[in-house]
Structure formats: C-alpha cells, structure tokens
Amino acid sequence: MTTNPVNEWATDFDVLDPQYVKDPFPIWDELRSRCPVAHTERRGSTWLPTRYEDVNAIAHDTEHFSSNDVGVIPFKPPEGEEFDENDPGPLAYGLPPISADPPLHTWTRRLILPWFSHNRVAGYVPMTRDICQKLLSRFSSAGHADAAVDYAQQIPVRVIAHILGVPPEMSDTFTGWVRDMLEFAENPEKRSDTTGAFIQFFIDQIALRKQEPGEDLISALLQTEVDGAPVDDTLILGMVVLLLIAGVDTTWSSIGASLWHLATHAEDRKRLVSEPDSLPIAIEELLRAYSPVTMAREVAKDVEYNGCPMHAGDKVLLSFSAANRDPEVFEEADKIDLGRQHNRHIAFGVGIHRCAGSNLARMELQVALEEWLKAIPDFRLSAPDEVTWAGGQVRGPRILPVEF
C-alpha cells in the first residue's frame, strides 16, 4: 500500500491510497470539477482522466495510447534481479488480446470471442447455478457468512476452470494467484513467485492438451490455425493466463460489490426479492455504479490532450468507474437507481478492447444474485467496520461479513 498520504489529488494522486480504495467517488467528483485529468509522478508519470468523454476518447485513440502495457501498477523485479527486455520470457506476447495493439489484438480476440457468445454462455448457466446452490448450502442455515470469501470469490474461478478444462479443485489455488498478482502489486517477490507458478502450470496444461486434447478452450486454441499455421504456444499461454486474471477478479468484485449494496440498501434488496424480473435492469445499474476495473494505456508518442502534455512512456489510467459516475452523462450519477432505463455505462470498457467476456460476467452476476436472494432474501452487514476493499487495477470487497 501507499507510504505517503495524498495531500493534493490533482497533482499527486495514488490509486492505492486507502482513502481512494475505500471511497473514490468524492475524489472523482472533486477532480472533475477542477482538474478532470489529474497527474502524478508516483510510480512514474501517470495521468487519470475522470470524465466519461475523456476516458471514451482515449480508449478509442489507439494511435497515441497503446495497450502494450495495461497494468495500473508497474511491475518491478525483486531486489537483486533485473528485467531483460530482450528476453521477456514465456509471455513474450504479453496477454493478448488485452495487452496487444492491432493487428495482433484483432485476430487473437477473434479466436476467443466464440467461447463467450450469448449461445455459449447460455450453456454455462446450469453449471453456474449448481455452483451457486452448492456454495449457499454450506452456510445458508448458519445465519452468517462472508459474502465475498464464501460466495462471490468462489463462483467465477470455478466457471473459468471449467472453460479452461482444469480440475475444479484448482479453484482455491487460482484465487490465490489472482490476488497475489492484483492485490500485492507492490510486493515484487510475492508477485514474481506467483507469476512463475501459474505460468508453469499453464505451460504444463498446454503440453498435456497436446497429448490428450479435450473439449476445452486450451485444446481448441491448439487445434486452430491462423494463415495456415498453428497458433504459437506463447500466444496461447498469454491468452489463457489473461482469461484467468481478467475473468476471475473482475466478476467476483462485481458480485461482491452488488451484495454489499444490497446488504446496505434494504429497499433495493426488498425490491429485487419481490420483483425478480427487474434483476436484468438492476444489474446494469449495479455494474455502472460499482464498475470494478481501471485499465492503463501507455502513451505511444508525445501528445497534448486537453492541455495536458503527455510524453511517450507515460501511463494513462482509464477508470471506467469514474467515467460511469460522470453527472454530465448520467442523471443523478451518484444515486443508485435500480430501475434506471437510460444507462450507457462502460463498465466493460469501450473501444477495441471492450471486455470479450462481458456476456459471461453478466450471466454470472445475474445467477449469483438470483440464487443468493432465493436462499437469503434478508441480510445485512454484521460488522461494517470489518469490510475491506481491494483497489488499484480492480476494486471490490475482499471481506464482507453479513448476517441473516
């Protein structure tokens, strides 16, 4: 976490500051009114646009803003180790398509999209519902639970494990890996160990699928040809590592934040229990209000954006959360209206890198809330002071004690 508290958000912001992680909304409101594109030199020159218009424009400008490095917190090798740019290791292509520019982005995205189509995702519903019901059976009669640890964090990881064709008992290991990568970004030793562990795991899985192909995504990628040639193993490795990281923490954060909202807003909870058909519209509002993701872009060449002199190598943090709270776009933007009809939110990003798994995330969120509200229609926070949030790349509750 941050060592020096922030005194001036416009010129020295820190997305890991405890105040920002816990309650960023008033900070964004202040910045929009007096400095809509903030700047900091912490961890290198970094910019933070907070208006919908700016986030949208920068996300679409692939000429000046590259996706080659989308990490919000720069990776630093452990002390005593150096990063050799000429030998990036097994992830030589990064995590395509999210960390790639066209043309690599274009065809790698095309390879994974069929796995997250509406029809394909519909086929995952029974499995997801079964996962939720089994999780709920463990604690629904106990009168209390950690809605994040015991429920929200358990669902997406099991769904992704199924898609990747890996044993479901790996779920807890996957959860730990994702946390280490995203929540302990400033602990290079832990992050480096974790990166090595899950990269080696998937290298082994790729080798196994070559010998014993299945009906999973890894097997499908190994059997795919592009321009008459098989897809490079290194590219496949990057894509499956991306699916684990991007498909797990983002969705469990959305589920957890939604449960936090319902635990703290009794009228909204009662409404969804009495009007279950309203859930799809409510989910869009929950996604808008608690969008979990901030994605970085790297300035590809010097550019002045709205009077801000951005230089090649600078980072720009696209907080889709901040954009979705912009009062210029959303009426009463800080009011959570589960019946909001006009909702042009960009919780899943915007532009060519819009989340390829948005259909899956929506389905998981809907099924998770449906099953929770059936089993536990009346619940509230049991220890509000013990609720903790993770931030940085993905914001969501990590500890969420509730009683019912």
Side-chain angles (χ1 to χ4, degrees):
M1 294 298 287
T2 184
T3 54
N4 300 313
V6 175
N7 295 314
E8 175 49 72
W9 288 96
T11 58
D12 184 37
F13 72 83
D14 186 355
V15 295
L16 293 183
D17 184 276
Q19 179 185 354
Y20 185 93
V21 173
K22 183 178 181 180
D23 187 16
F25 310 112
I27 296 171
W28 295 333
D29 289 341
E30 177 193 350
L31 289 174
R32 278 192 219 97
S33 65
R34 66 183 186 89
C35 183
V37 182
H39 183 258
T40 187
E41 290 291 342
R42 299 185 187 225
R43 310 180 191 91
S45 180
T46 307
W47 304 85
L48 177 68
T50 51
R51 298 188 308 182
Y52 186 102
E53 177 184 359
D54 295 328
V55 171
N56 188 52
I58 291 171
H60 278 93
D61 185 354
T62 58
E63 177 185 355
H64 295 101
F65 303 100
S66 170
S67 296
N68 282 333
D69 183 0
V70 298
V72 168
I73 309 301
F75 174 71
K76 296 180 180 179
E79 188 174 352
E81 296 184 17
E82 294 184 1
F83 177 70
D84 184 356
E85 293 184 355
N86 297 316
D87 181 21
L91 294 179
Y93 293 97
L95 306 177
I98 201 170
S99 66
D101 294 323
L104 177 60
H105 162 270
T106 307
W107 65 262
T108 52
R109 179 180 172 89
R110 191 180 298 128
L111 291 183
I112 63 173
L113 276 176
W115 287 79
F116 303 103
S117 67
H118 285 288
N119 288 339
R120 196 90 185 219
V121 167
Y124 304 142
V125 170
M127 172 193 62
T128 306
R129 201 172 296 282
D130 182 62
I131 290 170
C132 293
Q133 291 172 352
K134 287 179 178 176
L135 290 170
L136 286 160
S137 70
R138 298 177 181 178
F139 57 78
S140 58
S141 62
H144 62 88
D146 186 323
V149 175
D150 298 332
Y151 191 66
Q153 295 171 18
Q154 303 297 322
I155 300 165
V157 69
R158 285 166 168 75
V159 175
I160 288 293
H162 171 81
I163 293 172
L164 296 177
V166 300
E169 54 267 25
M170 286 294 297
S171 298
D172 288 342
T173 302
F174 284 171
T175 299
W177 285 343
V178 173
R179 278 179 169 166
D180 288 351
M181 283 297 295
L182 295 177
E183 295 181 30
F184 301 100
E186 292 198 313
N187 185 333
E189 288 79 12
K190 193 174 188 68
R191 190 176 182 186
S192 182
D193 290 345
T194 296
T195 301
F198 74 66
I199 286 176
Q200 187 58 55
F201 173 82
F202 282 117
I203 288 174
D204 294 342
Q205 289 293 309
I206 289 171
L208 178 63
R209 296 306 189 289
K210 289 181 177 180
Q211 300 299 320
E212 303 174 14
E215 301 297 321
D216 55 89
L217 176 57
I218 297 175
S219 298
L221 291 174
L222 285 168
Q223 296 164 24
T224 299
E225 291 188 353
V226 176
D227 294 332
V231 182
D232 188 279
D233 284 4
T234 306
L235 279 166
I236 295 175
L237 178 63
M239 284 189 275
V240 297
V241 169
L242 168 66
L243 291 176
L244 174 63
I245 296 175
V248 172
D249 194 24
T250 53
T251 307
W252 88 39
S253 294
S254 291
I255 297 171
S258 298
L259 289 171
W260 175 87
H261 178 86
L262 297 178
T264 55
H265 296 77
E267 290 305 311
D268 283 346
R269 183 178 68 251
K270 293 174 182 176
R271 175 179 180 174
L272 294 184
V273 171
S274 62
E275 304 173 21
D277 290 344
S278 69
L279 189 56
I281 291 177
I283 282 174
E284 297 308 312
E285 178 68 346
L286 292 167
L287 285 168
R288 180 195 72 84
Y290 303 107
S291 312
V293 176
T294 297
M295 197 64 68
R297 295 290 185 268
E298 188 173 78
V299 179
K301 54 186 177 183
D302 290 2
V303 62
E304 183 172 304
Y305 181 84
N306 280 5
C308 300
M310 300 180 178
H311 301 290
D314 286 5
K315 280 288 187 75
V316 182
L317 307 187
L318 300 183
S319 173
F320 304 120
S321 319
N324 285 335
R325 293 287 187 126
D326 187 344
E328 292 295 318
V329 178
F330 302 96
E331 185 177 353
E332 295 184 281
D334 284 330
K335 177 184 177 182
I336 289 66
D337 175 7
L338 297 191
R340 188 184 294 268
Q341 296 295 318
H342 302 289
N343 199 339
R344 297 166 43 219
H345 73 73
I346 52 173
F348 295 111
V350 66
I352 65 171
H353 288 286
R354 186 182 182 280
C355 177
S358 59
N359 293 328
L360 181 67
R362 278 191 172 97
M363 180 277 289
E364 292 179 84
L365 178 54
Q366 176 157 338
V367 171
L369 294 184
E370 283 176 350
E371 295 303 323
W372 178 284
L373 292 173
K374 287 178 189 175
I376 309 173
D378 183 18
F379 62 101
R380 65 210 62 83
L381 297 182
S382 58
D385 292 341
E386 294 180 15
V387 175
T388 62
W389 296 74
Q393 194 94 36
V394 182
R395 180 179 182 270
R398 291 301 178 263
I399 298 176
L400 187 57
V402 296
E403 60 185 11
F404 39 86

